[in-house]
Amino acid sequence: MDIGQTIRAYRKKRGLTQGELGRLCGMTGGAISSYENGVTVPKRRVVERLAQALDIPPEKLTQDRPLPVPEGQPQASDVLLYDGVLTVLRELYGIVEGRVILGGNGASRKYYVVKQIPGDFVLYESDIAAIVRSAKASMSPLVEYMRSVREGQA
């Protein structure tokens, strides 16, 4: 779930309309709609106000979301690959926790702590994006190789 979907889920859980949540936060229902639909990303102060109105810690709105693919709008296939990379990392290493650093200017940076014995390590959003690019780049040559092997067997 991205942050907008998370806001929507908690709002509905509390039985609030977008307008009601907006009033609790001192903003319009249209602003809430904009966040929920991914048109805009709320800044740190807004996340704190939303969390307070929803009676949850701010981390609930930021930590539980999947990674967005950085640099521009992702294609649907990139989002699926991104989620797939995280799934494989969890299968290989066990616990992979997504975390967000919120800066004073409202900017955020996502990273992952991979829990492993001995010693945890960190993967940044850009590391996951690099793995996705690598997977995409290797796909076509691998499929072509498999096709040529199967044609040779016929």
Side-chain angles (χ1 to χ4, degrees):
M1 240 190 284
D2 66 20
I3 192 165
Q5 293 167 327
T6 305
I7 293 167
R8 178 178 286 127
Y10 279 106
R11 174 181 60 79
K12 287 185 174 189
K13 186 175 181 180
R14 290 279 320 270
L16 298 170
T17 66
Q18 291 175 337
E20 290 168 335
L21 178 58
R23 280 188 290 284
L24 289 171
C25 297
M27 59 185 75
T28 67
I32 302 298
S33 174
S34 180
Y35 298 137
E36 289 184 356
N37 292 309
V39 175
T40 57
V41 177
K43 294 185 177 181
R44 181 179 57 86
R45 289 178 301 278
V46 173
V47 169
E48 290 169 354
R49 287 177 13 210
L50 288 165
Q52 184 177 11
L54 293 167
D55 196 29
I56 57 173
E59 296 79 33
K60 287 286 188 183
L61 295 176
T62 57
Q63 280 187 342
D64 298 337
R65 64 181 178 181
L67 286 174
V69 177
E71 288 129 27
Q73 292 296 326
Q75 297 177 3
S77 62
D78 289 346
V79 172
L80 292 173
L81 278 171
Y82 214 86
D83 290 343
V85 165
L86 292 174
T87 299
V88 170
L89 286 170
R90 287 182 182 102
E91 287 175 11
L92 292 173
Y93 297 104
I95 299 172
V96 178
E97 293 178 353
R99 298 191 181 165
V100 176
I101 298 172
L102 293 174
N105 63 355
S108 64
R109 181 167 183 193
K110 184 84 173 187
Y111 67 98
Y112 291 86
V113 176
V114 180
K115 304 272 184 170
Q116 188 178 20
I117 299 173
D120 301 347
F121 62 95
V122 172
L123 290 172
Y124 296 100
E125 221 172 346
S126 58
D127 299 328
I128 304 297
I131 295 169
V132 167
R133 286 191 305 276
S134 175
K136 285 179 77 173
S138 65
M139 190 75 59
S140 187
L142 182 58
V143 169
E144 287 303 313
Y145 169 76
M146 291 174 172
R147 187 178 92 181
S148 68
V149 167
R150 293 205 172 99
E151 285 175 353
Q153 293 174 351

